[in-house]
Amino acid sequence: MSYEWVKVLHILAVISWMAGLLYLPRLMVYHSACSVASESDATFKVMERRLLKAIMTPAMVVTLLSGGWLVRGGNWYPLDIWLMVKLAGVMLLVGCHVVLHQHVLAFARGERRHTGRYFRILNEVPTLLMIVIVVCVVVKPLG
């Protein structure tokens, strides 16, 4: 597969993954406010599980695999500072994904560990990381 087509695949996967990273915490804001074992609780559990398993996790895997292929195929060695900062941002996004997964599991068990305010704040983390990553890719400020 050509470099450009892998880049297209990578961008599409990133968009899908980011959509989930931005939407899932918003669902959790509303989920945290509903009663355990209510009809709304059951609906949110299904929505969160499906978003995570059917969209976010596959998109994350494709993002990481295609991104690795692009780094290798683009001969980005030695790694420029901008690329190292970008990769650090991506690893932090993976960390966000893992944290959100843990929250989905907690909600599935009927646990309410955090308030809507916590999830509103958590919702901003992927946004900030996305800004750093996009600036690094487009502007290459540390290159």
Side-chain angles (χ1 to χ4, degrees), residues 24-94:
L24 186 56
R26 181 54 48 188
L27 284 175
M28 292 174 176
V29 167
Y30 301 115
H31 193 172
S32 65
C34 72
S35 302
V36 175
S38 67
E39 187 176 327
S40 296
D41 179 54
T43 300
F44 280 120
K45 286 177 184 178
V46 170
M47 291 172 68
E48 291 162 356
R49 186 185 76 248
R50 287 182 180 168
L51 177 61
L52 185 70
K53 291 189 176 217
I55 297 171
M56 290 175 63
T57 299
M60 178 186 67
V61 169
V62 172
T63 295
L64 297 175
L65 292 175
S66 61
W69 194 96
L70 290 169
V71 168
R72 182 181 165 115
N75 295 318
W76 291 99
Y77 298 104
L79 298 180
D80 288 334
I81 294 172
W82 71 266
L83 185 55
M84 289 189 284
V85 171
K86 177 202 178 212
L87 294 174
V90 171
M91 290 303 103
L92 289 171
L93 282 177
V94 170

Side-chain angles (χ1 to χ4, degrees), residues 16-18 20-21 24-25 28 51-61 64 89-105 122 125-126 129:
S16 298
W17 186 30
M18 284 306 305
L21 285 170
L24 186 56
M28 292 174 176
L51 177 61
L52 185 70
K53 291 189 176 217
I55 297 171
M56 290 175 63
T57 299
M60 178 186 67
V61 169
L64 297 175
V90 171
M91 290 303 103
L92 289 171
L93 282 177
V94 170
C96 287
H97 186 102
V98 170
V99 167
L100 290 170
H101 185 256
Q102 294 304 312
H103 290 310
V104 168
L105 295 175
L122 183 59
V125 174
L129 290 170

